[in-house]
Structure formats: C-alpha cells, structure tokens
Amino acid sequence: MRNCAIYSSQFDLDQLFEMIQSIYPQDTIERKEDKTHIQVTRKKLFSKKTKGFNIMTSQTHPEEFTAMIQGMLGFLSQIEGKNASLQEKVLIKCSTLNMVVGIETEEDISEEFFNELLHLADALDAVIFWGGGSLLNAQGQLLLDVNGESEVEDYKVTAHTSFLDDVRPPSESAMLRKERSEQLLTEQGIPFNVHLPARAGDEHTTIRSVEQVAERAVALCIAALKGECLGAGESAEDTAALVQEVIDKYDATSFFSPVERRFVEQHGAEHQEVISFSWGYEAYHVMLWALGYVKELGAPVNLCNVGQDVGYLQQCDDVEAFVAGAQLRSKSEILDAADLIYRYNWVCVDSRVKEQSPPGELNGGVAYERHRALNWLICYLDQDWDDVRTDT
C-alpha cells in the first residue's frame, strides 16, 4: 500500500465529513464520536471494501500536529529544489496547514481511489503527501520531490482566512528585518534556512497592550511556580496554598487561559504537566523583556534566572504597580525579536529532526518557549495563548 496523506489549512471536521459523503453517496459511512476517524464501506455482492480516513488537526491534537508540521517543514526545506521560488511558496503553504487526513486502504491505491482523493484535495484546497516524499498539488501534479524536481512552474498559495495576514506579499520593513536577522545569524556562525519567508511587517502587526502583557506575565509566573514547587517535591497542599496566596495578591483569577486554569486549580498534577508548565518561566522572561524589566533577550542559549525574574514581580504589591513600573517596548523591537526567534527555532527544530545537537549551544526548549511568547505578543494569527503556534 502506498502511503498517502492530505494536508489542508481547513480544520472544520463537519465540513470534511460532508465532502466525503458527497464523494461516496452510495456507500456506508461511519464516523467516530470525536470526529477523528471516518470509514467508508462499499459492498459488492459477497465482498466489501473499506477505506479509512484518520484525521488530526491543530485544534484536536495541537502539540502533535505542530511537531509533525515542523518536521515536515524541516524535511522539505532541506531539499535542493530546482525551482527556488516554487519551493519557497510550497513551504509557505505548508506553514499554514491545519489538518492532515491519513488514508487507510486494504489494497494499493487504485486509479479510481486516487481520483477520489484528488476530488477531496481540491475541495479542501489541499496538498497531498504521496509515497516516498513527494508532494502533489490538488490536481495530482508534482510540486516537489526528494530530488528537488517538480512538474509545475509556479504555485498559488492559498490558506484558511485566519492566515490571510501571513500570506500577503512581504512588506519592505519585513524584508529588511529578515535580512538583519540572517546577518546576525551569519555573524554568530549559525546556519539558517534562506527559504524561511519574511514575517508580517510593522504596518500589518498589532502588539498586545501593556496591561495584556502584564497579566499574561503574572499568569505564566504563577503556573510555572506551581510546576516548580511540585517538581521540587513540595506537597500538593502546600503548593496550592502558596499559589492561591500569589493569585490573591495580584488578583489574578481572570488572567489564566483555560488550560492554565485547569492546571492551577487541580489538586497536584501529572509529571508531564509539571515539566511543561515549569518551562513557562521562559515565556514569562520574554514578557518581562517586552515590559522593559529585562534589558536584553540574547540568543536562546541559557535558561533564564528564575529567582531574579520572579523578583521583578515580587517587588510589586499588586498588578497595578507591576504595570506602572513597565515600559512596553516598541513594535519594531518586538518584531525584531519575533523574526529572529522564528529563525533560531527553525535551527533547533531542524537539528532535532536530524537527531543532532543545535549549533551555537542553542537550547531548543528555550527557543520554543520564546517563539511562542513572541508570537503571542505580535498577535500571530490572532490566536489566544492556548492556541499560539510556533510555525517554522
């Protein structure tokens, strides 16, 4: 059986189900309750054949989906494409993906089934990952294979409406920022991906307000504090008491995202949750930088100084004082940092895909947390904290 998966920037599972129903109007179609698997059964006399569609989206499996897309981008960006412009557009398209539909079939994919998949891909405005590393467009034409070959000269990048801001032609400010970031990486001796596009420019970006940044900083610090205490072996009861004391001090009940709130309010936590939220200190560090409390971010090499960073908040009696002592950095400064971390994080992801240590002593965990924090600061795709992506 040939491996095949359909990738789309759409993520409406009900819409996908309706599309499959329209393609197979005479067949029996079943869907799991969570909507992540669809089975199509076709009966012929005394036999029957089934086709399966396994679905994962950026909303149903955010961490797994992000890791998969980063791996895919890392793989495709390493190919020496014969058409550099086309390859860059393919990478941009892949950075907008929201859903993957894995194909299951009892036999090799027949011509009839392949045409059905093209129909589905066209309806989803998708690309198809086919066989041993070939990427096809919705018409079945080769966009890029492992040898850098393609059957088309150009490709029009389209995406879900939530990505419109990121697929517009890059502005002059964005292109200049990309050049400055690449120059800095060159000076540091860190290899980078020249195909990574410029990001949104100053004129296309809105920065979070100082109040929003301060509240996000407090929420990150408190959640990380719980993770740190539990990770150090403190009892769930003592940890809960300390966390509630800090929440009360900064009147922070409304600051948490839904995921943070569940973590903070639950009794104790699973080991993986403890680790994950403890890393939040690195995102908190970025918020402190954006608020002017931390002078320089520097390269994502070392873990932040937790004691020093927490001290900035401890010195304030309430969140109003924390805001009053802040001086939000300019849009240009924040965009500079966001563009640079975007490229640092690609280096770390690429190294992980290759099972190598990142160059320049870069720390992949620090790069990821900073990337997420900075994407939130620049309102990347207008996503709330729990949904912020770190596309590379």
Side-chain angles (χ1 to χ4, degrees), residues 184-185 188 190 299-300 340-348 362:
L184 181 58
L185 293 171
Q188 294 174 347
I190 295 175
L340 185 57
I341 198 65
Y342 169 56
R343 302 176 201 286
Y344 275 131
N345 197 30
W346 179 88
V347 175
C348 294
L362 296 178

Side-chain angles (χ1 to χ4, degrees), residues 220-267:
L220 286 164
C221 186
I222 293 174
L225 174 64
K226 176 172 181 176
E228 179 189 16
C229 290
L230 293 177
E234 298 290 337
S235 70
E237 291 75 16
D238 289 346
T239 297
L242 175 60
V243 166
Q244 190 58 53
E245 180 183 340
V246 180
I247 291 174
D248 292 342
K249 178 178 180 179
Y250 298 102
D251 194 18
T253 303
S254 64
F255 298 170
F256 301 106
S257 72
V259 172
E260 287 170 335
R261 184 172 293 108
R262 285 195 295 272
F263 174 71
V264 169
E265 292 179 352
Q266 70 183 347
H267 180 78

Side-chain angles (χ1 to χ4, degrees), residues 131-189:
S134 296
L135 198 68
L136 313 180
N137 63 16
Q139 291 71 49
Q141 299 168 303
L142 179 66
L143 286 175
L144 188 67
D145 67 11
V146 293
N147 298 314
E149 301 288 348
S150 61
E151 295 176 344
V152 296
E153 290 296 321
D154 200 6
Y155 180 65
K156 182 178 180 180
V157 177
T158 54
H160 189 267
T161 53
S162 64
F163 286 88
L164 288 178
D165 284 347
D166 268 33
V167 297
R168 60 162 61 93
S171 66
E172 182 180 0
S173 66
M175 291 300 297
L176 290 173
R177 184 168 285 113
K178 177 180 186 288
E179 292 175 7
R180 291 196 299 270
S181 294
E182 291 178 342
Q183 179 60 36
L184 181 58
L185 293 171
T186 299
E187 292 170 359
Q188 294 174 347

Side-chain angles (χ1 to χ4, degrees), residues 4-7 72 114 117-118 121 126-130 134-140 143:
C4 178
I6 296 174
Y7 290 83
M72 181 181 182
F114 182 63
L117 294 177
L118 290 180
V127 292
I128 303 171
F129 200 79
W130 181 257
S134 296
L135 198 68
L136 313 180
N137 63 16
Q139 291 71 49
L143 286 175

Side-chain angles (χ1 to χ4, degrees), residues 84-94 154-157:
S85 175
L86 173 67
Q87 182 174 9
E88 183 166 358
K89 291 178 181 179
V90 169
L91 288 169
I92 294 173
K93 173 67 174 181
C94 290
D154 200 6
Y155 180 65
K156 182 178 180 180
V157 177

